[in-house]
Structure formats: structure tokens, C-alpha cells
Amino acid sequence: MSSSRTLLERTVNTLGHCDAAEYAGAGEQEALTKEVIDVAVIGGGVCGLAVILQLIERVKDERKEGKKQSIGSIYIIEKGGVIGTGLAYSEACTGSIIDTHASTMGPCPINPMKFVGWLQDNNPELRKVHFPTRSEYGRYLRELLKEAIVDAKALNIDFRTIHGNVINATRQNQTTEVVLADGRKLHALNVVCPWPVEKFGVIEHEAPVFIMGSRLTAIDVANALVEHGHTGKIYMISRSRRLPKVQGPPAEYPYRYQLHSLAREVEDRPVSAWIRIACEFEDEMEDYSDADFSELTRDVDPLQMLKADIAEAEKGPIRWQVVLNAMKALVERYWSVLTLDEKTQFLKENGSKWMTYRHAIPLENARKILAGLEKGQLVVLQGENVKWSGDSFNLKSNGKEYRVKYLIESLGQEYDTTHIDSPLLQSMLKSRQLAHNPLGGVDVDFNTLKATEGLYVIGSLTKGVHFYTSAIDRNVAHAARVADNIVGLPFRRPLHVALFVGTDLFSNLMVSRLVPELLGQGHLPFLILPADLIHVYPTKEPYKLAELTFWERDVLQKVVISFLGSSQVSSEFATVEQLKEKYAIMVDRIENISSPHCHSILKDNYIDLGINLRSYQEFDHVIRDHFQPRGRAIVNLEAGFLPTLRAMMNGKVAATYTLHYIDDEDSDGGIIDVQTLAIDHSQHMLWNVQNNYGKGVEMVMAAVEKLARFGSLPAGDGVSMCSSDFLTKEDLDICVETGILLEGRDRSKVKKLLVDCFSGDRKKELGAAIEVAELAWYDM
Ligand SMILES: Cc1cc2nc3c(=O)[nH]c(=O)nc-3n(C[C@H](O)[C@H](O)[C@H](O)COP(=O)(O)OP(=O)(O)OC[C@H]3O[C@@H](n4cnc5c(N)ncnc54)[C@H](O)[C@@H]3O)c2cc1C
């Protein structure tokens, strides 16, 4: 223990400078413990770091929930200089920019915007830069490692960073023996491996160079060469002579849910999945984009094509890209249901086209490549058979012969395990702890990334299983699954969750928090907004009830929502229209919930969980039957203003929030979860609801988590009556007498709440709009 503490302190200090040499020195001499450690992570790239961050999060959750801590020790072993960055984001990558939008590079699945937030906080100059340099991202990763070290210390996790090259890992009984090239060994319960990397050497500036490949890696290499002063000719060589397409600005695909429903459909019925996926993909493309893919069958001039692609990207979001981006997290699910033949055929016939379109060049990089092509320094050649003649690399392309001294292999990562020069990988294949996947990399379980007991593989070596592995957002999602499995949590199935949302303010505030939380955990929310049938008051009688309805519902529905529309403001909460626009989720306002239209929404979109948030229409038997099969449920949440007001009227010290099944047409059913929330009678009702309604969000998320991980919710206990009644006039008279109506006769607080929650930088205008509506209502 004492040695681990010494190392920890030294590591924190050393990381302050994050100098590669110094860092290497910190770990190199360190003797390894003889005790069995819980997790050994081999490789300090993004995947290794992401697994560690996720494990730390799991331990934090265990602490919060009062559970026994499952992880006491984590070692990360890296053969290179710096831990946390891997090859792609080292300090050497100063000029190269990241290839994907910064908003996809957060290392936390729940909050992919974390990197963007860090950029804004740490580097004001980069506030509006969506493609910062790779070294900047590396700086961020090193910061995260520092945080992980501090967090681990606070959690009493023995976390060590070890410098060394792992050459073998062998399962022995319950543990894996990890052997380093210098003879050091350790034993771990769980081992996580990434992929091996290689670097290329130094090249004379004026010498002509072949770059094998013309995809993103090759583009990066060409730009990096020029950036570092290369003046000689650069020949990019590829079979197709095509450059990747150019990235337009990101946008959300409004029909994203159809792609998710397609994943569910083919997972449910994998027979002929390929045909259904291809047809749906074609339909989505045809309906939404006016893309012309005919160029795929033509021979195109790279320079002219790139010019046209840049011009297109400069115009704004490119619709076919918007569809493809929306598929990013789903592709692995489509892939998993195809047969080996279908997968092989796809790779043969469409693999290269897919890469051209899917991995598009950032505009900034595309402009640099165009400049190189126009200057004639860069040339894209058709060919593949480069031959080494003893003193030069030679290629024949379109009848011309090219000879150069240097060749840079930039075909991307190597997935064929027989070609990967890694003693670790080869020894594990030989000892059959790992098995080749015929489509690349090694076999792992799709959900858990487990290769064998106690051994996990993450990153490009899982390409055959996951298809799409070379993007941070996928790496991070996979790291979360590895961490889950290590700490014994079942796989979290992505759910389709329908929120039946009432018109009241607090349910809408809850929805505004639930939508990003659900999405962050990989679920897909659908907002169904049934028409409000019981709160329509044609006159102001009874006056107090109508007044309450005006403040609690109408101002939001008739003023705030219509005032803001779908425009995005930087407010804490969003209206349903803004949520629809921001997250591209389905939002459907329906007159009658028991209609064929609503039934088909549930059926066509494979809705697993229905949650009623104060919508007061009846759920007919067709809806209830939809949620009968195992793995589905429909529940009602009694939370917010009604239970709070009732508790206050009855002089209770606590309000009761209840989550219960919907078993009959009155929405009554067995109780799943009850929470009591303290009430402060010295405060007005609004204050109490505001203080407590977040608990409703937690109750919903806890139920979602249970259904997603365990396939069912707890059996209902007793029966809860759904309070579909609104308050009576008598109820309200009591409230008025005791001064607990809303904020106690002072309307300014509810106005402030609405403005504070929704207006962002449009405070004054929204406040004025509410005042106009208020005057009109009280004048009537
Ligand atoms: C040039 C480049 C640019 C990219 N740009 C983007 C981008 O803009 N956006 C995006 O989303 N994705 C991008 N990617 C993909 C993404 O960066 C990778 O998917 C991710 O970095 C892979 O992380 P990793 O930990 O698996 O591998 P790496 O980052 O390579 O880390 C593996 C680490 O393991 C170590 N290691 C290997 N074998 C051993 C061993 N036997 N013993 C000890 N240590 C070992 C290596 O030294 C290395 O540090 C890019 C990839 C590359 C290569």
C-alpha cells in the first residue's frame, strides 16, 4: 500500500507537466504488486482511459447507493510515452485537426458535450472552433487522466500508471497473468486490451512520397507532411482514386426514430434483415435528401469532385450526411443481425463506398487538400500494386510509371490479426484465449466486449463484431459496457420510451430533464401529448380553478411555447417544441389517446415503456395490452403539484410521489416506487414543488434503468389510485384561506419561474409576452 501511495503522488505531480519523458520515468522503475488487482488496462489510449473513467463512475454510483465497492485497484500499462492520448492525440499532432465534430468527442456517454464545455472553459479562443487540433484533444485527455487519479484516490482505489510493453496475458484459474517485456508480471481479475499502434519515420522534405490510401488517415498524413514543411510531390494511391466526401455542418435528422425502429425490427426478425435495411436506407435517403449517388458508378476527377464537394459543404448541412450521422450508433446493431455472407458481400461490394461517404473530411482539411491538388504538389493516382525495386518504390498507373524513395502506409488500421505485429495479440491468439473474427479483429461478445472470462477487448480489434470502431463516441459507448460487465451490471438494453405528457408546467419541466438523460443512456424518448380534456374552462367559473389552470398550464402552453417556437435559447429548460428541434425526437400532439393513430405509434416504434406524466386521458385496453409482454411496462407518475398541494392542505410534513403500473382504464395499478418528500409549510406551494419535483425525474430514470438492465420492473405492491381528478373548488377555497395557492397570492413568483426556466437570453421579451397574456386574462 505504501508503494502505491508513493506512486500515486508522484504520478499526480508528474502529470502536471505531462512531459512524455518524465512521465515514462515515473513508472518505469516501479515494481508491480504481487497481489491480484481488479482491473489491468493494457494500453493508455482513449479506449483504455474511457474504461477507467467509466469504472470510476460505477464506483461512485456504488458509493451513492450504499453498495459494496466492486473495484479496489486499477493498473493501466502503456508502452509509449504518455498515458491517455494514444497515437492519435499526442503532442506531436500539433497541426492536425480532429476529423469529427467536437460535440461527438466527449468521453462520457451521458454527456458527449463535455469536451466542448472544456474547450469553452479552458481556451476562450476555441469557443467557436468545432474541429480543434488533435493535440488540443490530447491535452484534454491528459486532464481527464489527472482527474481520474484524483477521483480514484478519493475512492480509495489503488490506481497506478505503469510504463511497459505487455507481451503476454494468460488466464490462470480466476486471474490473468500479465507479462511485460522486461519480465515484470502482475495478476488481474479483469484485463482490458486495445489495439497495437505503429509510427512512421522521418522523410526528406523535397523527396516525392507515396501515400498508400486516400481516406481520412491518408488525408491527415498528406496535410501533416505539408504542415511540417514537405515540398516534394505527394502521390496518394488508391484503387478507386476517390477522396472522401466533405463534411457539412452538423444537423439533426428529424426522422431519427425511424432508424431506431428499424434496428428494433431487424433485431426482432433477423431473417432477410439485409434487404429491409437496404430498402429502408434507400427510402430515408430518397425522402429526405436529394443526393445523387450516380457519381459512384462514374470515373470522377478528384480535383473537380473535391471542389464540388467543398462548395456543397459550404452551403450548409448536407442531407445525406445528416441521415448517415443519425445512424452512427445504430450501424453496429444493423451489422449484428446480418449473416456472415451478407456482411462479407457488403464489405466486398460497398465497403469502400461506405468509407468514402461515412468518413468525410472536415472542411478545413478539404480546403488544404484542394490547395495541394491545385498547386500540383498533391496527385491522386489509381493503383494498388506498389513494388519495391531495391532502391525505390514503383507504381504503374494509367500507363505512367512513378518511382519514389518513401512510402507511407495510410490504409487505416490493420484489422487482419495475422498481419498485426503484436507479441501480445499473437500469443493470445496462439493460446486460443482470443479467436480471429473472419471480418477483422477478434471475437468478443457484442454487448459486453468480453473475449473470454476476465478478458475484454475494445477498440479497432472488435471491428468484425461492431463494424464501426474508429470513432471516439463508439469507443466511449463500448467502454461503458466493459465497465458495466466488470462491476457485474447487466447490459443496458436501449429502450424506446413514450412519455405521455400533460399540459402542466412541472411535468414539462420533468420532460425537459428526462429527454437528455434518456438519450445520454442510449434510450430513445417519444413525446406523446394528449389533448387536455379536463382542464378546459370555457368561462372563468369556478374562478380560482380557472386562475390556477391559467398559471399552471395555459401560460406555458399558449404563451411560452408559441413565443419561443423551436428556436434554441440558452435556458436551463426547453419546451417540447425546442426539445423536438434540438434532439430530433418524435413529438406528437394527439386528440385521442385511444385512437388507431396512437396505437400504431406504440406498435410501429417498438415502444417498451410508457410513462404517464399527468396526461388525463384513459389508456384503453389496446394500449395496456401493448405493454403486457415481458420487457415492457406502462406506468403512471404521481408527482409535482397535485400531491404537494394535497399534502399541504392536509397539514402533512411530507408529500408522497408514487410510481405505479397502469392496470385498468382509470390508470390505477400496483405501486413500483414511493418517495416521501419533506414539505416546508413556511414556504408557499410553488417553492415546495420546485424543491421536490426533481425526485420525479429520478424515479422515472430508476424505473427505466431497471427495465433496461433487468427486463422487468418490480412487481407492483398494493394498488395506487391515479388521481385523475383536478382540484375541486372546495379544495381551492381551503388553499386560498390557508394562503397556499401557488405562491400565496403573489403571481410574480410563478412568472419568474417561467421566465427563468425557459427564456435564456430572451428574458425581457418572454416576461413582456407573459404580462400581456396576464393582463388579458384578468381584464376579461
Ligand atoms: C490519426 C487518427 C485520427 C483520428 N481522428 C478521430 C477523430 O477526429 N474523431 C474520432 O471520433 N475518432 C478519431 N480517430 C479514431 C479514434 O481516435 C480511435 O478510435 C481511438 O483513439 C482508439 O483508441 P485506442 O485506445 O483503442 O487506441 P490508441 O489510441 O492507439 O491506444 C492504444 C494504446 O495502447 C498502447 N499499447 C498497444 N499495445 C500495447 C502493449 N502490448 N503493451 C502496452 N501498451 C500497448 C499503445 O502504445 C497506445 O498508446 C482517429 C484515429 C487516428 C489513428
Side-chain angles (χ1 to χ4, degrees), residues 397-429:
S397 174
N398 289 333
K400 261 181 97 176
E401 185 142 356
Y402 299 85
R403 283 165 169 269
V404 305
K405 197 169 147 196
Y406 297 101
L407 177 141
I408 304 173
E409 204 267 274
S410 299
L411 293 166
Q413 286 148 22
E414 179 59 80
Y415 302 109
D416 182 345
T417 49
T418 55
H419 293 164
I420 298 177
D421 178 22
S422 158
L424 172 65
L425 178 65
Q426 297 308 334
S427 63
M428 292 180 88
L429 285 166

Side-chain angles (χ1 to χ4, degrees), residues 328-347:
K328 219 172 166 189
L330 295 167
V331 167
E332 66 186 34
R333 290 173 60 192
Y334 299 152
W335 186 248
S336 73
V337 296
L338 302 185
T339 63
L340 180 60
D341 281 350
E342 286 167 339
K343 289 176 183 170
T344 311
Q345 197 179 343
F346 175 82
L347 289 176

Side-chain angles (χ1 to χ4, degrees), residues 587-603:
V587 174
D588 206 330
R589 292 179 186 275
I590 48 180
E591 256 332 285
N592 180 4
I593 200 173
S594 296
S595 60
H597 172 64
C598 184
H599 299 155
S600 63
I601 291 180
L602 301 182
K603 187 166 169 284

Side-chain angles (χ1 to χ4, degrees), residues 556-627:
L556 170 67
Q557 299 298 330
K558 296 178 185 159
V559 183
V560 179
I561 290 181
S562 56
F563 174 81
L564 293 171
S566 59
S567 65
Q568 304 293 312
V569 288
S570 55
S571 53
E572 190 184 349
F573 293 90
T575 66
V576 283
E577 301 303 332
Q578 291 171 321
L579 291 171
K580 179 180 176 184
E581 181 74 17
K582 180 166 182 189
Y583 298 107
I585 51 172
M586 181 204 268
V587 174
D588 206 330
R589 292 179 186 275
I590 48 180
E591 256 332 285
N592 180 4
I593 200 173
S594 296
S595 60
H597 172 64
C598 184
H599 299 155
S600 63
I601 291 180
L602 301 182
K603 187 166 169 284
D604 297 348
N605 294 296
Y606 297 79
I607 304 292
D608 304 289
L609 179 60
I611 297 169
N612 187 34
L613 297 170
R614 289 189 69 197
S615 79
Y616 288 108
Q617 291 195 26
E618 281 176 9
F619 293 92
D620 70 357
H621 74 93
V622 183
I623 297 182
R624 297 196 310 273
D625 288 352
H626 171 88
F627 290 103

Side-chain angles (χ1 to χ4, degrees), residues 262-280:
L262 173 66
R264 290 296 294 270
E265 187 193 326
V266 291
E267 281 165 349
D268 271 17
R269 284 185 299 122
V271 179
S272 330
W274 167 239
I275 296 172
R276 276 179 292 143
I277 293 167
C279 291
E280 179 73 29

Side-chain angles (χ1 to χ4, degrees), residues 14 51 107 148 344 411 446 466 607 740:
T14 311
V51 169
T344 311
L411 293 166
F446 178 81
H466 292 116
I607 304 292
I740 51 174

Side-chain angles (χ1 to χ4, degrees), residues 105-175:
M105 305 278 285
C108 160
I110 298 178
N111 183 6
M113 294 296 282
K114 251 183 133 176
F115 175 49
V116 174
W118 179 86
L119 272 180
Q120 289 174 350
D121 293 346
N122 287 275
N123 197 338
E125 280 169 28
L126 297 179
R127 282 181 93 84
K128 296 219 163 97
V129 175
H130 302 305
F131 295 87
T133 60
R134 286 204 254 125
S135 58
E136 190 66 18
Y137 187 61
R139 196 161 76 84
Y140 172 61
L141 293 172
R142 292 196 300 276
E143 291 272 323
L144 287 176
L145 178 65
K146 273 199 257 177
E147 280 171 27
I149 290 170
V150 173
D151 282 356
K153 192 172 185 178
L155 294 165
N156 270 337
I157 296 174
D158 175 12
F159 177 35
R160 302 193 197 185
T161 50
I162 309 290
H163 182 72
N165 183 8
V166 177
I167 53 165
N168 202 354
T170 322
R171 192 76 181 162
Q172 302 171 337
N173 301 322
Q174 302 299 308
T175 66

